[in-house]
Amino acid sequence: MSETESHPALALEGELNIYGAAENKLRILEFLSRAKEAPALDLSGVTEVDTAGLQLLILAQREAESMGTSLRLLDPSASVLDVLQLCNLTTRFDVSGALECNP
Amino acid sequence: MNLDNAQQTFIEESRELLAAMEDALLTLETTPSDADAINAVFRAMHTIKGAAGLFGLDHIVGFTHVAESLMDRVRDGEIAVDDTLIALLLGCRDHISSMMDAVDAGEESTSEDMLTTGMGLVASLEVYLGHPSEDGDATESPSAPSGSHTPAPTTDATGVENVTWHVSVRFDQELLRNGFDPLSFVRYLGTLGDLVHVEVIADAMPSGEEMDAEACYLGFEMRLAGDLTKGDIEDAFEFVQSDCTLRILPPNSQLGAYLDLIQDLPEDTVRLGEILVACGTLTERELEEGLRIQAGGAGASEEMSDDQPIQPLGEILVEREVVQQELVDAALDKQRRTRDAKTREARVIRVDAAKLDELINLVGELVIAGSAAETLARRSRNRTLVEANTTIGGLVESIRDSALRLRMVEIGETFNRFRRVVRDVSQELGKDIDLVITGAETELDKSVVEKIGDPLMHLVRNAMDHGLESTERRIKAGKPAKGTLRLNAYHESGSIVIEIADDGGGLDRARILAKAQERGLVQPGQSLNDHEIDNLIFEPGFSTAEQVTNLSGRGVGMDVVRRNIDALRGIISLDSNPGQGTRVTIRLPLTLAIIDGFLVGVGEGAYIIPLDCVVECMKCDPAETRCQDYINLRGQVLPFLRLRDLFGIEGSPPRRQNIVVIQYAGQRVGLVVDHLLGEFQTVIKPLGRLLDHLRGLFGGSTILGGGEVAMILDVQELIRIAVQRDAGAHAETAASNQTDLV
C-alpha cells in the first residue's frame, strides 16, 4: 500500500477476483473512509479481473461519489483495461495512464 | 466446481452431440433440405465450440468454428447440401471425435497427423466458405464482420432501425459462488458476433457495507451484431440458464418489444430507456415515439389516465401489433419446448457404471442371504417366521428386478452406429445398400451391449461384403438394385434375439463344402445337410480366402464372432436361402448376473436349470423310457438325457423319476432327474479356472440357502448333446427331412 499525503492511493495487486473479493472490499472501504481527497486505486499490479473484481471497482467509485469526491484508477494493467473496455466503462472511470498503456 | 469432472461431462456430452450430428448428416443424405437435421449439425458444432472454449481447448474451438460458420451459411440457404459436403462434414465429425479422444486421454499437444488432418479439413471447409485459408488460422470470425453480413435493415415502418440483437441479462446473486464468471459470457458473446455496445447495470448493487463482495449484482445490456440466431445467444448462457434472466430481442424488433423489455426489467423505466439509448439499441426519437404510442394506446383502449403511462402499456402495444403477438407466441412456444427438453434431461441421471455393478453385486449377495434365511425359517417350522421371510423374499425379488433393470439399455444406440458403417462401406464397395432397423427399443443389459458391438460389426460388414451382391448381379437376378440389410431385435423367453439379415445371394454351399474339405474340417464322403454346411463357416480356421477384401475375410472370421457370443452365454445360428439372402440370429441372455432358476436333485447333488427354459415337468414312466432315449410327448418325439448317466452318478435311481422338458432356440429336450425341488433365485457365480473342464455341461454355480453349492446346467449345451446324439441315431432320416424343408 503506497500512500502519500497529496495523492492517497491504494495499490491492489495480483488477482482481483472472487477469491479475494471480500477482503479487497474491506480494504477499499477502509481506504476510502480514510482518504478524504482524490482517492486513487493503483491497479498496475492487477493480473486478473473477474466480475467480482469489476463490481468492487464500481462500488469503490460509487462510494467515492457519494462522499463528494471521485475515484481515479492509476495506471491500470492490461487485464483491467481489457475488462473496462469490454464493458464500455473506460469513460465512466477516471483512468490515468490508460492511454499510454493502451496500444 | 471440479474442473476434471466438468471436463468429463463435456467430453461425454460432446460425444452425444457428435452422434446426433452423424445421425443428422445421414438424414441429410436422403433429404438434403431437412431443416431439423441442418440445425442439429449446426448445434453440435456450436455447442462443442462454446463448451470447448470454457475449457480452453483452443484447437477444438478453432476447428469447430470453421465448421460452424459453414453450417451457418448452409442454414441460411447460401450453401446447398450435397454429397461432397456431407462427406466433408462427416470427416470433420470424425476429426473432432479424435480430438475429443485425445483430450480424454489427457494428451496436452495435438499430434502431427491430427494437425495435418485438421488443416486439410479446414482448407476444404474454407473452399466452401468462399475464401481460401490464408495461414491456417481458423480462429478469426468470418461469420461476424460488423457491417457486411448483418441482415439488411427492414423497411417495415414500425420496426426499430437497427440491425443488431439486443441481449439483456440479469444474473442470480449466487452465480459467482457457483464458480461462474458473467464476464466470461460477455466475452464469449464477443466471439459469436460483434459486441457493438455493452452497458453494465450495477443498479442492484447495494452500497457500502451492505454489499456482499461475493454476490453477483451486475447485469448487462448488450448490442450484438452478426449472423446469429436467438438460439446461438441462448446457448452462450446455457450453463447458467437457471441462474439468470435472459431477454433477447432480434434485430428489427417491433418497438413494442423494446418497451416490453423496459417494463420487464427490474430497473426503473426511465433509467432503462436511457440505457437502451446508450446502447444505441433505440434512438431517442424512437423511445419518445414508443412512449407516445404507448400513452395513446392506453388512452384509446382502456380508460386510463394519460398522464400516468404505466404497466399494461406494452401489452396494449402487443395487442395492436398482431404480427408481434404471433412472434411472442412463437417465442413462448419455443420457451416451452426448451423447458420440456430441460425437464426431460433432468429426469435422466448419469451414474457411474461401477456403482451400478456394486449395487447388483450387493443385491446378488442379498438374494443368497435371503434364501439362506428362508431355508432356516422353513426348517424352524415357525409359521410367522416363514411368512415374514416370504414377504422379504418377494421384496428381494422386486429389488433384484429393478436393480437389473437399471442396467438395461436400448439396443437402438448400438444399431444406429451401423448407419454410418453401412454408408461408408456401401460407398467403398460401390453397392447401394439400405439399412433397415427394427426393434431398436428392445432392452438388454449394458454389459452385454458393450460386448455385442464388435461381433455385430463383423456380421454387418460380412453381410455387406459377402452377402449382398453387386448392383449388376442383383439386377441380373431380377432383384431390386438396392440391397437391403436388416437389423432387428426382440425379446423371447428370457433372451434377446438379434437378427442381421440381408437379401443377398445366400451362402455358396458348394464352395463352403469344398473349402471345408480342403481344410480338413469335413472328411470326403461325409454327408452333411444344408444347415450343417452353413454352420461350417463358424468353424475355427474357416475363411473363404478367395474373398479376402480389406473389410472382412481376414481369416479371423465367424469363429471369433461365435466365440464372442459363446462367452456371453449366447447362441448364434445362421439361416440361408440361395438367391434370397442370409439371416444370422444371435440369442443372448438378458442379463449375466442373476436368473430365476429351477432346482432339481440328481443323486446327492442339486442342479439349477434356468427357469426361462423350463417348459413343463412330468413323471418319468420307466416302462416307456427303459430302452430308448426318447419319449412320445403328445405325438411329438422328445429326446431326453438321463442326468445320472451324463454326470456319471453311481447308485440306483429312485423309483419315481421326473422329466423336465427344456426348450432353447426352438428345440426341446427332456432331462431325467431324481427330484423336483422348485424355483430358486440364482446368483450366477462364474466357474473358476480350476473347473474349466466342467464347462460345456455347466454354465456356472450358485450357493444354496443351506450353503451347499449347486451347479447351473448349460441348457444350450445339453440340448446340443441330445440333438446330436439323436441326429447321429437318425442321421439319414433327419438329413432327408431337412432337405425337404429347404
Side-chain angles (χ1 to χ4, degrees):
Chain A
M1 205 184 290
S2 69
E3 275 179 61
T4 61
E5 277 305 306
S6 52
H7 297 289
L10 173 69
L12 296 172
E13 278 166 0
E15 297 174 342
L16 199 54
N17 58 19
I18 179 84
Y19 300 108
E23 192 202 327
N24 281 328
K25 182 200 151 193
L26 291 178
R27 284 178 65 192
I28 291 171
L29 288 185
E30 192 261 352
F31 163 71
L32 289 175
S33 69
R34 279 189 297 120
K36 292 293 169 217
E37 243 165 80
L41 294 179
D42 180 351
L43 301 179
S44 57
V46 174
T47 54
E48 191 202 313
V49 186
D50 72 352
T51 310
L54 177 66
Q55 276 185 170
L56 284 184
L57 295 182
I58 296 174
L59 180 80
Q61 195 205 27
R62 211 198 264 169
E63 292 297 306
E65 273 167 8
S66 72
M67 296 188 322
T69 176
S70 76
L71 179 79
R72 278 185 310 129
L73 302 184
L74 289 182
D75 195 16
S77 67
S79 46
V80 177
L81 281 177
D82 177 50
V83 168
L84 292 184
Q85 269 159 13
L86 179 71
C87 299
N88 200 42
L89 288 171
T90 11
T91 51
R92 220 174 118 183
F93 285 100
D94 181 1
V95 180
S96 320
L99 292 174
E100 294 90 285
C101 295
N102 182 19
Chain B
M1 189 170 69
N2 186 334
L3 204 62
D4 277 354
N5 280 347
Q7 179 158 325
Q8 201 52 45
T9 313
F10 158 64
I11 290 170
E12 278 167 29
E13 285 179 355
S14 300
R15 291 215 171 109
E16 282 166 20
L17 282 166
L18 287 175
M21 175 174 171
E22 188 174 280
D23 273 0
L25 284 172
L26 296 174
T27 313
L28 284 176
E29 232 169 24
T30 40
T31 44
S33 56
D34 188 323
D36 282 347
I38 293 175
N39 271 326
V41 178
F42 176 81
R43 206 164 41 241
M45 290 297 91
H46 175 76
T47 314
I48 291 174
K49 181 180 99 171
L54 288 178
F55 292 99
L57 302 167
D58 293 336
H59 57 299
I60 297 184
V61 176
F63 184 79
T64 43
H65 177 79
V66 188
E68 183 200 1
S69 310
L70 177 65
M71 282 318 294
D72 201 35
R73 303 274 286 276
V74 171
R75 230 163 35 146
D76 291 348
E78 287 175 43
I79 297 174
V81 177
D82 56 26
D83 286 355
T84 1
L85 182 64
I86 289 170
L88 176 61
L89 286 168
L90 281 173
C92 292
R93 190 215 81 95
D94 294 349
H95 181 58
I96 297 169
S97 170
S98 41
M99 287 198 282
M100 288 291 169
D101 290 346
V103 172
D104 200 10
E107 286 167 28
E108 294 289 323
S109 58
T110 327
S111 74
E112 276 297 308
D113 277 1
M114 224 184 265
L115 275 177
T116 327
T117 322
M119 303 262 271
L121 287 166
V122 167
S124 319
L125 289 170
E126 297 277 3
V127 170
Y128 267 95
L129 282 167
H131 51 85
S133 109
E134 297 104 27
D135 50 3
D137 175 21
T139 46
E140 62 172 312
S141 166
S143 68
S146 45
S148 57
H149 268 344
T150 44
T154 174
T155 47
D156 187 344
T158 49
V160 175
E161 282 179 25
N162 69 65
V163 288
T164 48
W165 291 82
H166 186 88
V167 182
S168 160
V169 60
R170 298 292 181 274
F171 296 102
D172 193 278
Q173 291 208 356
E174 290 303 307
L175 201 70
L176 295 176
R177 291 198 191 93
N178 291 344
F180 290 102
D181 183 9
L183 274 179
S184 62
F185 298 116
V186 178
R187 272 210 188 89
Y188 176 68
L189 279 186
T191 65
L192 286 184
D194 194 18
L195 274 176
V196 178
H197 191 96
V198 178
E199 192 78 10
V200 180
I201 312 297
D203 297 35
M205 185 160 71
S207 58
E209 301 295 333
E210 288 166 40
M211 182 256 191
D212 177 352
E214 289 175 2
C216 180
Y217 298 107
L218 299 186
F220 294 91
E221 297 292 325
M222 288 166 280
R223 243 175 94 200
L224 187 63
D227 268 352
L228 295 160
T229 66
K230 194 170 177 199
D232 300 342
I233 301 173
E234 277 170 354
D235 286 352
F237 294 93
E238 203 178 344
F239 292 96
V240 290
Q241 238 168 3
S242 51
D243 300 324
C244 73
T245 318
L246 183 64
R247 290 179 193 80
I248 301 167
L249 296 184
N252 308 309
S253 284
Q254 302 288 319
L255 188 54
Y258 293 101
L259 295 173
D260 274 355
L261 172 72
I262 292 177
Q263 270 171 7
D264 281 353
L265 290 174
E267 288 85 11
D268 163 76
T269 313
V270 178
R271 162 103 173 91
L272 278 165
E274 282 168 12
I275 290 168
L276 289 184
V277 173
C279 282
T281 302
L282 294 178
T283 63
E284 235 159 292
R285 187 184 56 76
E286 283 166 343
L287 182 66
E288 270 169 34
E289 190 187 348
L291 290 172
R292 192 172 47 73
I293 296 172
Q294 240 181 357
S301 57
E302 280 177 48
E303 295 305 314
M304 282 180 67
S305 51
D306 281 2
D307 56 344
Q308 244 187 340
I310 42 160
Q311 273 290 319
L313 303 178
E315 292 163 29
I316 292 155
L317 247 187
V318 173
E319 280 162 29
R320 285 160 50 109
E321 312 261 4
V322 185
V323 189
Q324 173 95 14
Q325 187 60 52
E326 281 164 3
L327 275 177
V328 171
D329 286 349
L332 281 176
D333 183 49
K334 178 159 189 212
Q335 257 178 8
R336 186 180 51 72
R337 267 187 288 149
T338 333
R339 212 175 26 241
D340 285 356
K342 250 173 74 183
T343 33
R344 250 206 315 283
E345 224 166 75
R347 272 190 247 130
V348 178
I349 307 174
R350 284 174 194 277
V351 182
D352 189 349
K355 283 187 190 164
L356 274 187
D357 288 343
E358 198 184 313
L359 176 69
I360 306 260
N361 269 338
L362 282 176
V363 170
E365 297 301 327
L366 181 65
V367 168
I368 293 178
S371 16
E374 203 168 323
T375 314
L376 286 178
R378 230 180 269 151
R379 269 187 213 152
S380 75
R381 296 185 187 277
N382 178 337
R383 212 198 255 160
T384 40
L385 183 60
V386 171
E387 238 167 64
N389 254 303
T390 314
T391 318
I392 294 175
L395 289 173
V396 167
E397 203 168 316
S398 316
I399 290 178
R400 180 202 67 178
D401 288 347
S402 330
L404 287 178
R405 218 169 297 133
L406 287 180
R407 295 174 52 100
M408 292 298 204
V409 292
E410 290 185 0
I411 199 168
E413 211 171 298
T414 313
F415 278 179
N416 277 332
R417 274 188 6 216
F418 293 112
R419 287 178 59 189
R420 173 76 184 276
V421 176
V422 169
R423 175 196 172 276
D424 287 357
V425 172
S426 58
Q427 277 186 358
E428 198 173 318
L429 295 171
K431 295 178 184 173
D432 200 1
I433 301 172
D434 212 8
L435 178 67
V436 180
I437 292 175
T438 43
E441 69 291 339
T442 314
E443 289 188 325
L444 79 165
D445 196 287
K446 179 106 174 85
S447 56
V448 182
V449 165
E450 278 159 12
K451 289 176 189 140
I452 196 72
D454 285 348
L456 272 186
M457 177 72 82
H458 199 92
L459 290 171
V460 166
R461 289 182 160 217
N462 237 1
M464 286 189 288
D465 199 11
H466 304 324
L468 292 165
E469 321 92 320
S470 62
T471 315
E472 305 90 69
R473 285 252 294 279
R474 289 184 66 89
I475 294 172
K476 214 180 278 174
K479 293 202 229 178
K482 199 171 202 170
T484 309
L485 185 65
R486 285 172 202 283
L487 283 175
N488 183 26
Y490 57 93
H491 283 155
E492 194 190 80
S493 61
S495 311
I496 179 168
V497 181
I498 303 170
E499 290 176 344
I500 303 105
D502 64 62
D503 64 347
L507 292 177
D508 186 345
R509 294 201 174 110
R511 202 153 84 196
I512 290 171
L513 195 58
K515 181 66 65 184
Q517 281 168 350
E518 186 189 310
R519 298 271 154 108
L521 298 170
V522 177
Q523 299 311 313
Q526 190 176 346
S527 75
L528 295 169
N529 62 38
D530 287 349
H531 189 66
E532 284 166 325
I533 295 174
D534 291 349
N535 280 302
L536 281 173
I537 65 167
F538 290 118
E539 291 301 317
F542 182 93
S543 172
T544 38
E546 298 153 51
Q547 305 169 313
V548 169
T549 68
N550 61 349
L551 285 174
S552 49
R554 273 163 293 192
V556 289
M558 302 292 263
D559 61 314
V560 177
V561 172
R562 186 166 77 172
R563 263 216 306 284
N564 283 335
I565 304 291
D566 282 350
L568 293 170
R569 296 195 289 118
I571 187 168
I572 185 165
S573 63
L574 193 136
D575 190 14
S576 176
N577 276 327
Q580 286 172 31
T582 310
R583 187 172 68 222
V584 179
T585 311
I586 299 173
R587 264 162 209 283
L588 292 169
L590 277 182
T591 171
L592 303 174
I594 306 177
I595 54 168
D596 275 318
F598 186 69
L599 199 59
V600 297
V602 182
E604 295 290 303
Y607 299 87
I608 287 172
I609 305 168
L611 191 63
D612 291 324
C613 305
V614 176
V615 183
E616 60 181 311
C617 302
M618 65 184 78
K619 258 191 290 184
C620 181
D621 180 2
E624 193 187 358
T625 57
R626 189 167 302 140
C627 51
Q628 57 188 26
D629 287 335
Y630 53 89
I631 56 167
N632 178 345
L633 178 65
R634 293 184 288 275
Q636 296 268 322
V637 172
L638 180 78
F640 64 78
L641 289 173
R642 290 187 178 86
L643 289 190
R644 271 185 170 268
D645 298 351
L646 195 66
F647 299 156
I649 293 170
E650 306 285 321
S652 58
R655 214 152 46 84
R656 304 172 93 184
Q657 281 188 301
N658 293 284
I659 293 182
V660 180
V661 181
I662 56 174
Q663 173 176 353
Y664 193 81
Q667 283 174 313
R668 286 183 181 208
V669 164
L671 297 177
V672 179
V673 302
D674 292 356
H675 312 284
L676 302 176
L677 300 173
E679 284 179 39
F680 183 77
Q681 281 195 60
T682 309
V683 180
I684 300 178
K685 304 272 178 194
L687 288 178
R689 242 154 223 249
L690 278 176
L691 300 175
D692 248 359
H693 61 285
L694 292 178
R695 242 175 263 267
L697 289 179
F698 304 113
S701 63
T702 192
I703 299 165
L704 298 180
E708 308 92 350
V709 172
M711 303 304 282
I712 301 167
L713 297 181
D714 186 339
V715 168
Q716 231 171 287
E717 199 59 25
L718 292 178
I719 288 184
R720 202 183 55 79
I721 293 172
V723 171
Q724 249 178 14
R725 189 198 55 193
D726 197 41
H730 311 280
E732 280 163 22
T733 30
S736 61
N737 278 346
Q738 291 249 353
T739 1
D740 289 348
L741 286 174
V742 174

